[in-house]
Amino acid sequence: MSRAEPVQEASPAPESGGARREFVSLMTSRVGEAPLRKPLFVEGSADLLTLCRELAQRGLSEALIRDGARVGVFTTTNLREALLSGRPPAEISARELAVFKPFSVSVEDELFEAMLLMLRHRVRRLVVTQNGEAVGLLSQLDLMAFMASHSHLIALEAEQAETVEDLGAAARQIDGLIRLLRKDGVKVETIARLVGELNRQIFRRLWELLAPEELRANSCLIVMGSEGRGEQIIKTDQDNALLLRDGFACPRLEEVTEAFTRALIGFGYPPCPGGIMLSRPLWRQPLAAFRRTLDGWIDGSDPAGALNVAIFLDAAAVAGDPALLEEARAHLDRGLSDNPFWLSRFAKAATQFGEERSWWSRLPGLRGREAAEIDLKKLAIFPIVHGVRSLALEARLKELGTAARLNGLVAAKKIQPKEARDLTEALHFLMALKLENNLRQIGEGKPPGNKVALADLGRLERQALSDCLAVVREFKRFLALHYRFDAI
């Protein structure tokens, strides 16, 4: 059974104590604490008529099918396949219709992980295991029952949206959810993962509403940058693209992609200042043309090539055929397989922003220059993200998130566990600091940005920020030695 990684509606008054308690309960509870359905086990050789009779007698809509060592799930929705087959139900075995290798979670897993799994793979039920054995089923309805006073989940509302306006209503609830979760002390990395999955659900459903079926089948909608890495929380900009199957033409392509970008802007996702959106021709190309674009980014003929490569390295498929993205990424890897000089120049971007040591060394006491501001992204977050991205590219890792890449680098013995832990902790602190600052800016009616006024930080925050900058400084030194920046 496969393992992997809808959220509740943020009401107009998300500060209510009941809502907070339910969200916190969701974030801290284990799967085994939720109401689980005891599974009905049926042998794979059983005929469909017998199986349905058993389900009807027990008032159930699903069963687990044993077929030798395999375990699959049969639900009443599988009956459609039987009816379309034209065969008598008594001649169809359960194993023919069951879905084997279903998604599963352990009773010890966090309920939050189960929610993400349902959301990511658009499944309505999970097999629950204990010590490797199936002990129950968890459905979306079970989750909703566990969160009693909420009428529905944001993700379900997005999935069921029939119009762009309905989808926008779901998307606009995410900001309230962020404030609520942060106020109750949910870890910033957990918030980021949840928001990332919800955003992808919004993007996927919007694409389904706007793009004709033929276009969806012959393309791959991708998100990139911090959205692709799952590290963007507050809506700051759009980074998306569309890869098209070679030979496919859609007369309405420009109209559809423009409508997609406009709708996201209306949902509160600002346009990308650099134009990295599928409404721009550069970011909506057939695969063969995009391969040539990648070649130009690598050979240096495009001044923005390295930046565009960095953004594309964080690409994740949201809708359509993910094989198109995999082929584009494989082409990029081949182009860089024997190009250490390019990789060194690429990694050197992690050191492009100065540290202004004259003031950051005085952070804890803030002696003088109390009005000073620090750009958290340029001076701290970007060096970590891009340095780790460069090392991951060199090691041919497929992970997208910075923390996941650091774990992969440790496993590949490219970085020491202590350094990886320090970088992960620093990144998460910086993300949390940026989130708090963004929420404060929004509360003051200002657009969310990357600069934080040092006078707005408490003493402990300033000390932690100083420690994070020291971690970043050490990491830059490591990159300089590893890539021989002095020889570039």
Side-chain angles (χ1 to χ4, degrees), residues 357-372 454-455 459 462-463 466:
R357 184 183 178 89
S358 63
W359 59 260
W360 74 252
S361 60
R362 300 196 302 271
L363 275 176
L366 265 185
R367 294 185 299 274
R369 295 199 63 187
E370 291 193 353
L454 302 182
R459 183 178 181 83
R462 295 197 296 268
Q463 182 62 60
S466 180

Side-chain angles (χ1 to χ4, degrees), residues 59-96:
L60 299 174
S61 59
E62 66 275 308
L64 293 183
I65 309 301
R66 282 198 179 109
D67 187 44
R70 301 192 302 169
V71 175
V73 175
F74 172 89
T75 73
T76 50
T77 57
N78 297 126
L79 290 174
R80 289 177 298 186
E81 300 174 41
L83 293 174
L84 291 173
S85 71
R87 297 164 56 196
E91 296 180 5
I92 302 175
S93 65
R95 68 168 62 92
E96 295 180 58

Side-chain angles (χ1 to χ4, degrees), residues 2-147:
S2 302
R3 294 292 304 278
E5 311 245 309
V7 113
Q8 291 170 304
E9 177 182 357
S11 64
E15 306 301 330
S16 66
R20 288 201 299 273
R21 285 191 296 273
E22 284 150 17
F23 275 118
V24 172
S25 177
L26 173 65
M27 294 298 138
T28 59
S29 298
R30 302 290 175 181
V31 169
E33 299 174 43
L36 303 179
R37 304 183 188 187
K38 186 176 180 180
L40 168 66
F41 285 95
V42 177
E43 291 301 318
S45 58
D47 66 83
L48 186 58
L49 189 61
T50 300
L51 172 57
C52 289
R53 185 180 293 118
E54 185 76 9
L55 290 174
Q57 290 174 350
R58 296 172 181 260
L60 299 174
S61 59
E62 66 275 308
L64 293 183
I65 309 301
R66 282 198 179 109
D67 187 44
R70 301 192 302 169
V71 175
V73 175
F74 172 89
T75 73
T76 50
T77 57
N78 297 126
L79 290 174
R80 289 177 298 186
E81 300 174 41
L83 293 174
L84 291 173
S85 71
R87 297 164 56 196
E91 296 180 5
I92 302 175
S93 65
R95 68 168 62 92
E96 295 180 58
L97 295 177
V99 176
F100 291 97
K101 295 185 179 180
F103 292 103
S104 69
V105 290
S106 166
V107 292
E108 297 300 323
D109 288 340
E110 294 179 354
L111 202 58
F112 169 72
E113 296 291 339
M115 174 185 287
L116 285 184
L117 182 55
M118 289 182 183
L119 176 58
R120 180 172 300 165
H121 297 282
R122 307 178 81 178
V123 294
R124 297 185 180 275
R125 57 182 56 80
L126 304 172
V127 175
V128 179
T129 65
Q130 186 171 27
N131 299 323
E133 297 293 326
V135 296
L137 289 165
L138 178 67
S139 72
Q140 286 183 338
L141 291 176
D142 298 327
L143 276 174
M144 293 171 68
F146 189 72
M147 301 175 284

